[in-house]
Amino acid sequence: MEKQNMKAWLYLLPAFLFLGAFMIYPLIDVFVYSFEEGYNSASQTFYGVGMYNYSYVLHDPYFLQALKNTFILVIITVPVSTGLALLISAALSSIKPLRDLFQTIFFLPYVTNTLAVGLVFMILFKKTPYSDGLINLLIQFFGGSSVDFIDGPYWAKMFVLCFYTIWIVMPFKILILTSALASVNPMYYNAARVDGTSRFRMFTKITLPMISPMVFYLIITGFIGAFKAYSDAVALFGTNLNAAEMNTIVGYVYDMLYGDSGGYPSYASAAAILLFAIVLTITCINLLVSKKHVHYV
């Protein structure tokens, strides 16, 4: 038995080394940088150790704006995309002859380049001197007034960003949930039909509990992915997200490192650690909630 345990640890050793070198060590390094005040990357020097970097970041209006945008994005896109994906997956499962075709169609946006999809959305929503865009034409057709969704008011830009994010992430969720629905044993449904159970009650009492592990997985990964959003905003509003008031926390970290006003790795590290703490807290809360609402068979 001891020999087998030793072999198992030897098999796991490459994975541990990989995780240590490319995940654990960088995290520790960033954590150390976040406390080094006035760090200079060229000379590898700093003049003090303390909480100044965190204080600066938490009082920086650009970070507060990025924090606000990220939370709005998370609160709106995760539940909406998961709920829509669940409804579409349930509908696809009831159309067996064309289910594979519809799965392929819904999965296409997920394999398409993010920037390409963002360009399409920008063309649809952007208002130019020559055209109001297709979306504004539809709004005017129904009696509304045109809105500049790309360079206009904040709520309009946030609407486009949320809509785009939901569009991008929903295909993957549909694929996962469709597979989960197909794995539910039909005997449960047959027994419920014998008792005269309604479809809604079968969905809430049989389907949801049976696929709850997959729903929980999508919620967790959805939260993590939404908190790390950056390329979506760049695809719609360009690289100067601070001017557009549409920056995210990841975008703020990037700007502090490489942007026009960058070169501040200590501030970037502090912001990255704050993001890590937020994501870790949300994940732990979800894990605690899942103990009561997720049923593992």
Side-chain angles (χ1 to χ4, degrees):
M1 183 63 70
E2 293 182 1
K3 188 175 181 180
Q4 290 180 344
N5 289 336
M6 183 62 68
K7 288 178 65 176
W9 284 110
L10 287 174
Y11 290 140
L12 290 172
L13 183 60
F16 283 138
L17 292 176
F18 181 85
L19 291 173
F22 296 101
M23 295 188 67
I24 298 175
Y25 170 73
L27 180 61
I28 296 173
D29 211 27
V30 169
F31 185 75
V32 172
Y33 281 146
S34 68
F35 291 100
E36 294 178 350
E37 299 176 358
Y39 177 79
N40 188 311
S41 56
S43 61
Q44 300 284 308
T45 59
F46 57 93
Y47 58 75
V49 176
M51 301 293 293
Y52 175 77
N53 296 324
Y54 289 95
S55 176
Y56 176 88
V57 169
L58 290 173
H59 289 86
D60 188 353
Y62 287 132
F63 177 80
L64 297 178
Q65 181 67 54
L67 185 67
K68 173 186 173 183
N69 295 339
T70 303
F71 268 99
I72 292 175
L73 197 64
V74 169
I75 292 170
I76 294 177
T77 61
V78 175
V80 171
S81 62
T82 306
L84 287 176
L86 185 59
L87 291 176
I88 294 173
S89 301
L92 285 176
S93 299
S94 63
I95 311 174
K96 298 185 185 299
L98 298 176
R99 184 169 58 191
D100 294 338
L101 175 63
F102 284 130
Q103 278 182 328
T104 304
I105 293 173
F106 278 108
F107 195 65
L108 283 176
Y110 187 74
V111 298
T112 307
N113 184 275
T114 304
L115 295 177
V117 178
L119 180 62
V120 173
F121 267 73
M122 187 175 65
I123 293 172
L124 290 174
F125 285 94
K126 189 174 179 61
K127 188 176 180 180
T128 67
Y130 308 100
S131 173
D132 287 344
L134 179 60
I135 301 300
N136 277 316
L137 292 177
L138 292 175
I139 293 174
Q140 293 170 6
F141 178 78
F142 288 103
S145 57
S146 63
V147 179
D148 191 349
F149 288 96
I150 303 300
D151 299 314
Y154 174 80
W155 66 266
K157 292 185 284 190
M158 182 55 68
F159 169 78
V160 175
L161 181 59
C162 291
F163 187 17
Y164 172 79
T165 304
I166 292 170
W167 179 270
I168 288 293
V169 302
M170 205 162 55
F172 175 73
K173 296 186 176 184
I174 291 173
L175 183 68
I176 296 296
L177 290 174
T178 305
S179 302
L181 289 170
S183 66
V184 178
N185 194 329
M187 288 193 303
Y188 295 115
Y189 298 120
N190 295 333
R193 292 190 189 97
V194 171
D195 294 333
T197 308
S198 64
R199 284 193 173 186
F200 178 77
R201 188 168 178 80
M202 283 193 290
F203 181 77
T204 55
K205 299 298 182 180
I206 298 176
T207 305
L208 278 181
M210 295 296 290
I211 66 171
S212 57
M214 284 295 100
V215 175
F216 170 69
Y217 163 76
L218 291 176
I219 291 174
I220 287 290
T221 55
F223 272 115
I224 295 173
F227 272 113
K228 296 192 298 182
Y230 173 61
S231 60
D232 299 350
V234 171
L236 290 170
F237 306 106
T239 55
N240 194 358
L241 295 177
N242 286 326
E245 296 184 326
M246 295 307 296
N247 207 357
T248 61
I249 299 178
V250 173
Y252 178 86
V253 173
Y254 180 85
D255 289 341
M256 280 296 173
L257 285 174
Y258 307 111
D260 295 335
S261 59
Y264 302 99
S266 295
Y267 297 154
S269 299
I273 293 298
L274 289 172
L275 175 60
F276 174 76
I278 293 171
V279 174
L280 182 62
T281 303
I282 296 295
T283 304
C284 291
I285 293 173
N286 279 315
L287 288 172
L288 292 175
V289 172
S290 70
K291 290 182 178 180
K292 291 185 177 180
H293 299 285
V294 176
H295 306 276
Y296 294 97
V297 180

